[in-house]
Amino acid sequence: MDGKVALVPWADMLNHSCEVETYLNYDKSSQAVVFTTDRAYQSGEQVFISYGKKSNAELLLSYGFVPKEGTNLNDSVELPLSLKISDKCYKQKLKALKKHGLSASSQCYPIQISGWPLELMAYAYLTVSPPSMSKQFEEMAAMASNESIIRKDLRYPEIEEKALQFILDNCESSISKYSKFLKESGSMDLDITSQELQNRGVFLKQLAVDLCISEQKILHRAQYILKRRLRDMRSGELRA
């Protein structure tokens, strides 16, 4: 709309579904906001739109709900990673990260059920790389920041096992924090439409528990994949 802002009455009444890929759009010819469905609906059936390809955490923070477990293929969990201060090359690696706009303290990367991004693997390579690989620090930092012009499958076989172990250690650290929160929260499996959740505090706690359960499952999936890959590498099946 050439930078103009407009209110769209009733647009916020449309609910989100992870199974549709249609959005509200501005149509210049009719000068109206339009919505075209991506499937047929029966008379009286609720029509859904997509609020975007967002994780459960983004949907909760922005819109106040968590999708049903297993329905959101775009769900992800942020995994925080950081350099080891005891690393002999800590300052050199830190300099490389800062050069490419990454945080000095820690960096978060999304993990999905389907896997993790190349940037996360690049950061892991940088973290575990020895002084003898100092010439590759710049390349690793560039890939970790997504600033590398050339997108390629970054692999360093000599340190891949250590990199995967580093990611696994961080996954398990996060899993333990989720487990602690869920244990302290007690058993909660309430219907968010029930009378029990008319209390706002209980309602919000249930949403937090639902979110943590979905994110912890993603971490458990990553943990399983990493353990299998490490087991195969250590048994010599992948090393060859």
Side-chain angles (χ1 to χ4, degrees), residues 117-128:
L118 176 64
E119 290 81 6
L120 185 153
M121 198 67 201
Y123 192 101
Y125 278 136
L126 178 64
T127 304
V128 303

Side-chain angles (χ1 to χ4, degrees), residues 169-200:
D169 290 343
N170 281 274
C171 276
E172 293 182 334
S173 175
S174 289
I175 288 172
S176 67
K177 292 174 184 176
Y178 279 94
S179 298
K180 182 180 179 182
F181 170 78
L182 292 171
K183 184 178 180 180
E184 292 173 350
S185 299
S187 177
M188 291 191 75
D189 187 17
L190 307 175
D191 179 1
I192 60 172
T193 62
S194 72
Q195 291 298 316
E196 294 177 74
L197 293 186
Q198 295 303 310
N199 179 297
R200 182 169 174 78

Side-chain angles (χ1 to χ4, degrees), residues 100 102 109-110 116-123 125 138-156:
H100 294 282
L102 294 180
Y109 293 97
W116 47 86
L118 176 64
E119 290 81 6
L120 185 153
M121 198 67 201
Y123 192 101
Y125 278 136
E138 279 286 332
E139 180 184 42
M140 294 174 187
M143 291 299 288
S145 67
N146 198 21
E147 285 187 356
S148 179
I149 298 175
I150 302 174
R151 303 295 296 164
K152 64 178 182 178
D153 185 13
L154 192 72
R155 289 193 66 187
Y156 299 96

Side-chain angles (χ1 to χ4, degrees), residues 5 99 136:
V5 177
K99 180 180 178 180
Q136 280 79 45

